[in-house]
Amino acid sequence: IISYILVFALAVTLLSSITLHAAETVASGTCGEDVTWTLSDSGLMVIRGTGDTSQIVCSEGSWSDYKSMVKSVSIISGVTGICESMLDGCSELKSVTVPDSVISIGDNAFGTDTKDIIISVPTSGTFAEEWAVERQYCVRIIDEGIIVGHNWDDPTYTWSNDNGKCTASRVCLNNSTHIETEVVDTSSSVIQTETETEPEIIEYKAIFVNSAF
């Protein structure tokens, strides 16, 4: 009995030491005619309302003052359009949840660097999923618990023994069997001629068709 009392007392002590922190709103505003946004101190931005977000409001309003704080964005169902460059400049952004109500997404809506951003959609077959996969985002389908689309690792380069060819390759982090590879012939030029005291230095260049390389 004594041991049970001690265990219970310890459990009460541990529970009493836990402090819950509720996320506090750092800023809020409008980002469309009928669309609003709120940003919490955890870095979560919630966008809710009806209709489309506005590029003018997003780029010129108080929104721009907090972009560096945004880590994740949750767009609530009812929003139908995400304007061009809406989240461009959110350097810490890692994830965006897009509802199936969204039927239009502007160019560069989530910024220029797509590598580390995961787009979450509620179900497969949504406009947002198709849009994101086409632009090589990593896409998480919530109700299926799977990730689709390409999430490319950094390219690696291998030179032939004579430096006459260079092979570039990159691996999809979602599916390691998916590998893109390109082999090209290199060009060379002498940038330092051999002298009695200095060796000859030859520079080799490889130019790839795939802009990712």
Side-chain angles (χ1 to χ4, degrees), residues 20-87:
L20 298 179
H21 172 72
E24 297 182 2
T25 299
V26 174
S28 62
T30 61
C31 52
E33 185 175 351
D34 294 306
V35 185
T36 62
W37 62 273
T38 57
L39 176 64
S40 71
D41 57 1
S42 66
L44 170 63
M45 175 175 280
V46 178
I47 299 174
R48 55 167 52 86
T50 56
D52 300 345
T53 61
S54 166
Q55 184 180 7
I56 296 177
V57 175
C58 291
S59 61
E60 296 181 358
S62 58
W63 174 291
S64 58
D65 296 334
Y66 298 93
K67 283 189 172 183
S68 62
M69 296 179 59
V70 179
K71 297 179 180 179
S72 61
V73 174
S74 179
I75 303 172
I76 307 303
S77 183
V79 176
T80 55
I82 303 172
C83 66
E84 179 179 346
S85 303
M86 184 180 78
L87 299 174

Side-chain angles (χ1 to χ4, degrees), residues 95-98 110 117-121 128 132 137-141:
S95 65
V96 181
T97 300
V98 184
F110 305 133
I117 299 177
I118 296 179
I119 307 297
S120 295
V121 297
Y137 282 92
C138 180
V139 180
R140 182 169 69 95
I141 301 174

Side-chain angles (χ1 to χ4, degrees), residues 2 48 100 130 133 148 182:
I2 293 175
R48 55 167 52 86
D100 53 13
E130 182 179 345
V133 169
V148 298
E182 184 178 347

Side-chain angles (χ1 to χ4, degrees), residues 151-172:
N151 183 23
W152 297 109
D153 199 359
D154 293 329
T156 59
Y157 302 90
T158 305
W159 297 78
S160 61
N161 291 333
D162 63 355
N163 293 323
K165 292 184 180 297
C166 182
T167 302
S169 61
R170 60 177 183 165
V171 180
C172 178

Side-chain angles (χ1 to χ4, degrees), residues 114-133:
T114 65
K115 182 177 175 54
D116 296 326
I117 299 177
I118 296 179
I119 307 297
S120 295
V121 297
T123 58
S124 180
T126 64
F127 170 84
E129 179 198 358
E130 182 179 345
W131 182 93
V133 169

